[in-house]
Amino acid sequence: MTAAAIRILGLDPGLSAMGWGVIVLEGTRLSHIEHGVIATKPALGLGLRLLALHRELTAVIARLTPQAIAVEQAFVARDPQAALKIGHARAVALLAAAQAGLEIAEYAPNHIKKCVVGAGHAGKEQVQFMVKRLLPACGVTQADAADALAAAIAHAHTAGSRAHVLSDLRANARGVVAG
């Protein structure tokens, strides 16, 4: 019996550029569906930029019909203004996902890198290289879109592990009941 396919939307939130990518997990097989970057211009002002992100992301969700969304958590370095802008973009992403009734998962950047590259402190080039290796048909060239696909891959890995554990638990429970 094969597991049902699940479409996963990965997001790399940003106010100027929000990367997104959709993959399908079917059993242990990953397939690329589509990816892109939603860009906004500072001249629009914060409110209109957030509205543009929401509209575009809502359209992506409606068109590609994912069941789950994997959002990269904010990495807060030294710039509180940058962190605040990413926080606004993340809020838009979470709102759009909740409005669509999607399963929402959030992952730390190091967790995503560890799942995709094998090292939590991998560079953007390494992430992009491994995304292309794991999804050969994607042809991703934009770092934001590659990061979004990496978030989706990390969720697929986590969802696959979760499903495997549940399957093992069910099998063990049947063995205990049958034995």
Side-chain angles (χ1 to χ4, degrees), residues 102-168:
L102 302 181
E103 171 193 323
I104 299 170
E106 299 179 75
Y107 299 103
N110 286 354
H111 176 79
I112 293 170
K113 291 174 183 178
K114 186 152 179 88
C115 285
V116 175
V117 179
H121 295 287
K124 284 199 173 278
E125 302 81 19
Q126 291 172 294
V127 171
Q128 193 166 341
F129 175 81
M130 283 306 296
V131 166
K132 286 180 182 179
R133 294 272 304 191
L134 294 168
L135 302 169
C138 77
V140 67
T141 58
Q142 298 164 299
D144 295 313
D147 287 349
L149 287 166
I153 292 167
H155 184 68
H157 174 75
T158 305
S161 297
R162 202 169 48 233
H164 200 285
V165 167
L166 287 174
S167 174
D168 287 350

Side-chain angles (χ1 to χ4, degrees), residues 167-179:
S167 174
D168 287 350
L169 288 173
R170 286 187 193 111
N172 288 337
R174 282 192 300 272
V176 169
V177 172

